[in-house]
Amino acid sequence: MEKSFASQADLAEKTVSFDRLSDHAFAYTAEGDPNTGVVIGDDAVLVIDTQATPVMAQDVIRRIRAVTDKPIRYVVLSHYHAVRVLGASAYRPDHVIASRDTYELIAERGAADMKSEIERFPRLFRAVESIPGLTWPTLVFERALTLRLGSLEVRILQLGRGHTRGDTVVWLPEERILFSGDLVEFDATPYAGDCYFEEWPATLDALVALEPAKLVPGRGRALQSAEDVARGIAGTRAFVCELYAEVKRGVAAGRDLRSIYRRVSTELRPKYGHWVIFDHCLPFDVSRAYDEATQYRDPRIWTAERDRQMWESLEARD
Ligand SMILES: [Zn+2]
């Protein structure tokens, strides 16, 4: 049987965890589904990534309300992907914060990305009709923004390109807790369809330089020790570097995308095939790697139509 498109056949609900990392930091995770971070200051709550729909965000809000009644004033978007941002309206925040690059990507490709992502992974868009439209940042920063939530300092940082051009992390310097977005995954396959393979490793170096004691990845459980943080970053780095190196070898040898895809799939599956969404991500990741290794420095826009054409050309039987 041929693989069904992207994650359309993935219908199994995951178990949610709401883990405490410190008095101020919590992680909403779900066995490899997209995570949401929560920071509780003296006078306000900040949420990092929203879940895909307002209805799904209500479960995050319910768990926040079990630990605090402080107002949710801020939503930070780690990047522009629909599955991260389209639940924002549920929090009724004073501000939606994003990097200028993320803001520009929403303007340029947010609508196409929304359509594409909903078709790729319908389970992650429960009650899709509750989405009021694109999520527009109301506070746009460049490089770094410091928020003080009473006595708690929150650093919102754009440290380089990686998973997307606009990647943003949230850093609690006093507690050394990092919310990395999809720059780091744990036991989950990095989606690299909109990434910068050449620059992602250096951005991971910048995360390492912060010396995080704990880290909430974009997918996967909260990493509660320095050893687990190191494993999460190293695993993400290894996947990104090995995939890109294999694609570059294929390009240098003059092979076409389809044959390169098959080779990469064979090479990477033994080591990474057990990570969630491996089969979903790999065609998109190899397509982007091939683009970057040949003629496209910047990721091309994925549309629902381009998704299908790519899948058909890479996954169809001979
Ligand atoms: Zn993403």
Side-chain angles (χ1 to χ4, degrees):
M1 216 178 81
E2 287 185 8
K3 277 167 67 177
S4 53
F5 171 68
S7 286
Q8 287 193 343
D10 177 348
L11 300 172
E13 288 296 329
K14 306 277 186 158
T15 301
V16 170
S17 301
F18 191 65
D19 293 325
R20 180 184 177 283
L21 287 87
S22 73
D23 286 347
H24 302 110
F26 291 79
Y28 181 97
T29 69
E31 302 181 317
D33 278 355
N35 293 339
T36 291
V38 176
V39 174
I40 301 173
D42 294 343
D43 52 0
V45 177
L46 174 148
V47 167
I48 302 130
D49 291 340
T50 71
Q51 301 293 306
T53 70
V55 165
M56 294 176 76
Q58 289 301 336
D59 189 50
V60 180
I61 294 170
R62 192 171 61 78
R63 287 163 194 269
I64 292 172
R65 288 292 163 249
V67 293
T68 182
D69 56 6
K70 292 168 186 170
I72 302 169
R73 291 228 164 93
Y74 305 98
V75 164
V76 177
L77 309 181
S78 70
H79 60 290
Y80 74 95
H81 283 150
V83 78
R84 303 267 156 197
V85 307
L86 294 180
S89 61
Y91 302 91
R92 302 175 183 276
D94 295 348
H95 284 292
V96 175
I97 302 170
S99 65
R100 175 161 298 283
D101 285 311
T102 289
Y103 176 79
E104 289 175 357
L105 287 164
I106 290 170
E108 178 201 43
R109 59 184 67 190
D113 177 72
M114 171 158 64
K115 209 158 166 274
S116 152
E117 288 196 49
I118 289 169
E119 291 205 14
R120 289 180 191 186
F121 215 150
R123 179 175 63 77
L124 290 184
F125 289 88
R126 192 171 73 245
V128 67
E129 69 286 350
S130 64
I131 297 170
L134 294 179
T135 295
W136 288 103
T138 61
L139 202 164
V140 172
F141 74 98
E142 292 179 22
R143 294 165 63 104
L145 174 68
T146 298
L147 273 184
R148 285 199 74 90
L149 306 181
S151 62
L152 182 72
E153 182 181 338
V154 181
R155 301 271 290 155
I156 302 169
L157 305 169
Q158 187 183 13
L159 296 171
R161 297 173 175 184
H163 175 72
T164 69
R165 192 180 93 207
D167 294 331
T168 296
V169 302
V170 174
W171 173 238
L172 305 182
E174 285 132 46
E175 297 173 347
R176 315 202 72 76
I177 294 173
L178 183 66
F179 298 85
S180 70
D182 283 329
L183 278 168
V184 180
E185 314 290 22
F186 190 75
D187 280 347
T189 309
Y191 171 75
D194 300 302
C195 88
Y196 288 81
F197 280 98
E198 297 277 359
E199 294 167 70
W200 197 333
T203 304
L204 292 177
D205 290 341
L207 302 193
V208 170
L210 293 171
E211 299 182 17
K214 300 184 178 186
L215 184 151
V216 179
R219 292 171 177 269
R221 67 172 171 82
L223 305 175
Q224 298 261 23
S225 70
E227 294 73 35
D228 272 357
V229 171
R231 278 176 60 210
I233 294 174
T236 303
R237 183 196 302 272
F239 177 89
V240 166
C241 292
E242 288 168 29
L243 186 149
Y244 192 49
E246 192 63 41
V247 171
K248 281 199 293 189
R249 269 196 289 278
V251 168
R255 295 203 303 276
D256 66 9
L257 174 58
R258 183 172 156 95
S259 84
I260 291 171
Y261 170 65
R262 290 183 168 195
R263 171 85 61 103
V264 172
S265 179
T266 305
E267 291 290 321
L268 268 59
R269 188 172 300 277
K271 193 166 166 189
Y272 304 108
H274 63 289
W275 282 358
V276 297
I277 62 171
F278 179 84
D279 286 306
H280 171 142
C281 289
L282 208 63
F284 296 100
D285 291 6
V286 173
S287 296
R288 168 58 192 149
Y290 183 84
D291 269 6
E292 188 170 341
T294 54
Q295 55 173 324
Y296 296 98
R297 181 169 188 274
D298 293 304
R300 288 188 283 154
I301 296 173
W302 290 102
T303 62
E305 295 73 28
R306 184 180 164 222
D307 287 2
R308 292 286 185 170
Q309 283 165 9
M310 178 279 289
W311 199 268
E312 176 64 23
S313 71
L314 294 189
E315 294 289 355
R317 294 262 176 93
D318 290 320

